[in-house]
Amino acid sequence: AVLAGRPADGAEDPGATVCSCFGIGAKTVAAAIAQQGLADVAAIGRALGAGTNCGSCKPELAAILAAAGRRRPPLAEEIAAE
């Protein structure tokens, strides 16, 4: 599993870590956006907890939303307000 880059326990690969505070990966975030119809960073926070502690992952969360076609990347003042 280590050589193949897959989780040893057979769990689904969460992707590269986006939220270090809670250990949430990019694939987990993208799946939640698709499955739950999440439309903003605050919704991701409510669903997964990502972005609700230190907040340093909010720009990356916004980028994942934009890549999913859900929303434009937020303005800096929108990030500060969340």
Side-chain angles (χ1 to χ4, degrees):
V2 172
L3 294 175
R6 290 189 291 256
D9 61 3
E12 197 154 322
D13 176 16
T17 301
V18 174
C19 177
S20 297
C21 295
F22 299 110
I24 300 170
K27 289 182 180 180
T28 301
V29 174
I33 291 167
Q35 293 167 358
Q36 299 176 41
L38 306 178
D40 57 32
V41 172
I44 294 172
R46 289 188 296 275
L48 301 174
T52 63
N53 195 33
C54 80
S56 67
C57 62
K58 287 183 177 184
E60 183 65 21
L61 296 173
I64 295 170
L65 278 166
R70 290 289 180 182
R71 183 176 176 217
R72 64 168 170 73
L75 303 172
E77 55 270 10
E78 292 173 330
I79 293 172
E82 290 182 349

